[in-house]
């Protein structure tokens, strides 16, 4: 039987109290305060909020705990937005939705910052529960603008992420988020380079690796190349596109373990545990040639879109999915 692992994609909504308190502390200086050098009062509020969302995940019974990425005002572009030799310029749309981030423009050589590792350390989650979240190299390069490297930009972004991951504390899972593989599919030749870049990033960690594209399904060729990377689990956003994701698995195979995006990260309707179990069973029944060692069940996108109350209800539904003593609803 497939082992189910309840987890999330990270990038949580700020708790309601933190939204107002941080807005008051930051005032009109937001661009200065997300540089990684926040004043002590801001750091204190983020620490408090991080502790709260960690406790909430543990109370929900999740199998893997993330630190929440509450500081990631620039969403998946955050690691570059706090790096040296990067200028954060105009506000640009975050994929095809009503969210925005500051465009990170790389103007010089990149060096790892340790910013992500510091947040993971601050979360104080045991290593056998901790899930580290990073943007994939292809996605981070896609969200950024290069004014320095030229053809070697993806390689530079990859080395930057490798350096970040190498500083991480002990963690059970490395979750690599790659929505740009779906939203801005790589061209011929570039898809192979993207797969090689992902391979290098996951290779920087000893943890179980999950690469999760979302906002739809991968093209057939991109999916095939991604399977060439030494990844433990590839993810599928079944909320956005169940037919093409199912086709990719049945036509081209997949990894021994998978990640299944079955909780809608952008919709306030709360899925019940029974429904999630049925969706997992549906995948098993409709992939006759595949036998999965482990299935990570998680939201199909980041969850910062959700109101706090609905977000927490979805955490509870995910946690109940893997608690055998839970009474089905």
């Amino acid at each position: 039987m497939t082992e189910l692992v309840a987890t999330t994609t990270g990038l949580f909504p700020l708790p309601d109290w933190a939204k107002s308190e941080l807005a008051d502390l930051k005032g009109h200086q937001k661009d200065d305060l997300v540089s990684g050098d926040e004043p002590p009062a801001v750091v204190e509020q983020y620490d408090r909020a991080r502790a709260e969302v960690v406790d909430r995940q543990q109370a929900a019974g999740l199998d893997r705990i993330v630190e929440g990425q509450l500081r990631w005002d620039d969403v998946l572009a955050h690691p570059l937005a706090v790096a040296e030799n990067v200028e954060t310029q105009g506000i640009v749309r975050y994929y095809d939705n009503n969210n925005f981030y500051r465009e990170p423009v790389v103007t010089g050589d990149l060096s790892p910052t340790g910013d992500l590792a510091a947040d993971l350390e601050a979360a104080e989650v045991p290593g056998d529960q901790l899930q580290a979240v990073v943007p994939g190299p292809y996605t981070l390069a896609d969200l950024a603008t290069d004014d320095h490297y030229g053809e070697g930009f993806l390689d530079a972004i990859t080395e930057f992420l490798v350096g970040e991951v190498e500083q991480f504390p002990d963690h059970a899972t490395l979750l690599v988020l790659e929505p740009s593989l779906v939203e801005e599919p790589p061209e011929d030749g570039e898809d192979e380079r993207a797969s090689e870049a992902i391979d290098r990033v996951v290779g920087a960690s000893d943890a179980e690796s999950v690469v999760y594209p979302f906002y739809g399904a991968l093209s057939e060729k991109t999916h095939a190349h991604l399977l060439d990377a030494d990844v433990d689990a590839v993810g599928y956003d079944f909320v956005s596109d169940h037919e093409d994701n199912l086709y990719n698995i049945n036509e081209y195979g997949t990894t021994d373990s998978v990640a299944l995006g079955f909780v809608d990260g952008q919709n306030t309707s709360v899925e019940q545990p029974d429904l999630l179990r049925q969706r997992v069973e549906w995948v098993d029944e409709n992939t006759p040639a595949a036998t999965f060692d482990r299935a990570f069940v998680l939201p199909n996108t980041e969850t910062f879109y959700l109101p706090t109350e609905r977000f927490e209800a979805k955490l509870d539904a995910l946690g109940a999915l893997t608690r055998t003593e839970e009474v089905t609803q």
Side-chain angles (χ1 to χ4, degrees), residues 218-241:
L218 295 172
S219 69
E220 297 177 38
K221 191 169 183 182
T222 301
H223 181 261
H225 277 298
L226 181 55
L227 294 181
D228 290 335
D230 188 15
V231 172
D232 294 305
V234 167
Y236 300 89
D237 175 358
F238 277 100
V239 173
S240 298
D241 190 336

Side-chain angles (χ1 to χ4, degrees), residues 6-8 60-63 263 271 273 276 297-299 313-323:
T7 187
T8 70
L62 296 189
D63 301 301
V263 172
E271 299 83 356
L276 297 180
V297 183
L298 71 176
K314 287 174 183 273
L315 292 184
D316 290 334
L318 280 163
L321 176 65
T322 57
R323 291 204 302 270

Side-chain angles (χ1 to χ4, degrees), residues 8-328:
T8 70
T9 48
L11 288 97
F12 290 169
L14 275 168
D16 291 335
W17 63 263
K19 294 175 185 176
S20 58
E21 293 197 20
L22 283 166
D24 290 343
L25 286 169
K26 291 183 177 183
H28 300 290
Q29 305 177 60
K30 176 180 176 181
D31 288 350
D32 297 328
L33 296 180
V34 294
S35 66
D37 298 320
E38 296 97 337
V42 173
V43 172
E44 181 180 350
Q45 295 304 320
Y46 276 125
D47 287 346
R48 177 185 166 196
R50 182 187 299 109
E52 184 174 301
V53 298
V54 166
D55 288 346
R56 190 62 184 80
Q57 292 172 82
Q58 291 171 333
L62 296 189
D63 301 301
R64 297 288 185 274
I65 308 297
V66 302
E67 67 89 12
Q69 294 73 46
L70 301 174
R71 292 178 54 244
W72 292 26
D73 289 356
D74 295 293
V75 207
L76 289 178
H78 169 83
L80 281 181
V82 298
E84 295 288 340
N85 295 324
V86 176
E87 296 179 4
T88 48
Q89 297 188 0
I91 302 298
V92 289
R93 185 177 295 277
Y94 185 66
Y95 298 108
D96 188 21
N97 58 46
N98 292 323
N99 293 278
F100 299 85
Y101 69 101
R102 298 172 305 158
E103 178 185 19
V105 179
V106 178
T107 59
D109 287 352
L110 293 171
S111 299
T113 65
D115 182 83
L116 306 188
D119 281 346
L120 291 171
E121 292 277 9
E124 298 183 346
V125 175
D128 60 354
Q129 297 177 21
L130 181 62
Q131 178 166 289
V133 177
V134 295
Y138 181 79
T139 288
L140 191 55
D142 175 55
L143 294 175
T145 294
D146 170 40
D147 273 357
H148 178 66
Y149 284 104
E151 291 185 2
F153 188 50
L154 179 59
D155 286 338
I157 293 291
T158 302
E159 286 306 309
F160 170 75
L161 286 173
V162 166
E164 297 287 3
V165 171
E166 287 177 340
Q167 300 180 60
F168 286 179
D170 288 344
H171 52 289
T173 308
L174 178 68
L175 178 64
V176 180
L177 300 179
E178 279 283 20
S180 287
L181 286 178
V182 173
E183 287 287 331
E184 298 291 339
E187 299 176 354
D188 286 348
E190 191 179 18
D191 45 12
E192 185 174 358
R193 290 192 295 274
S195 176
E196 292 170 351
I198 290 167
D199 187 87
R200 287 160 61 192
V201 170
V202 301
S205 168
D206 293 331
E208 187 171 21
S209 58
V210 180
V211 176
Y212 187 56
F214 53 96
Y215 296 134
L218 295 172
S219 69
E220 297 177 38
K221 191 169 183 182
T222 301
H223 181 261
H225 277 298
L226 181 55
L227 294 181
D228 290 335
D230 188 15
V231 172
D232 294 305
V234 167
Y236 300 89
D237 175 358
F238 277 100
V239 173
S240 298
D241 190 336
H242 64 277
E243 291 185 0
D244 285 346
N245 277 311
L246 193 67
Y247 171 82
N248 279 339
I249 293 173
N250 284 327
E251 186 70 16
Y252 299 101
T254 189
T255 41
D256 291 337
S257 296
V258 290
L260 306 175
F262 277 139
V263 172
D264 196 327
Q266 301 181 83
N267 190 299
T268 56
S269 296
V270 177
E271 299 83 356
Q272 296 300 320
D274 260 1
L275 176 62
L276 297 180
R277 293 186 184 94
Q278 290 167 13
R279 289 176 174 176
V280 172
E281 291 170 0
W282 178 84
V283 171
D284 277 336
E285 292 168 358
N286 286 277
T287 53
T291 302
F292 306 123
D293 296 334
R294 177 174 289 174
F296 295 83
V297 183
L298 71 176
N300 74 309
T301 67
E302 313 102 323
T303 51
F304 66 88
Y305 310 94
L306 297 170
T308 301
E309 180 182 354
R310 296 306 177 95
F311 160 71
E312 292 183 345
K314 287 174 183 273
L315 292 184
D316 290 334
L318 280 163
L321 176 65
T322 57
R323 291 204 302 270
T324 55
E325 72 275 13
E326 185 77 21
V327 177
T328 59

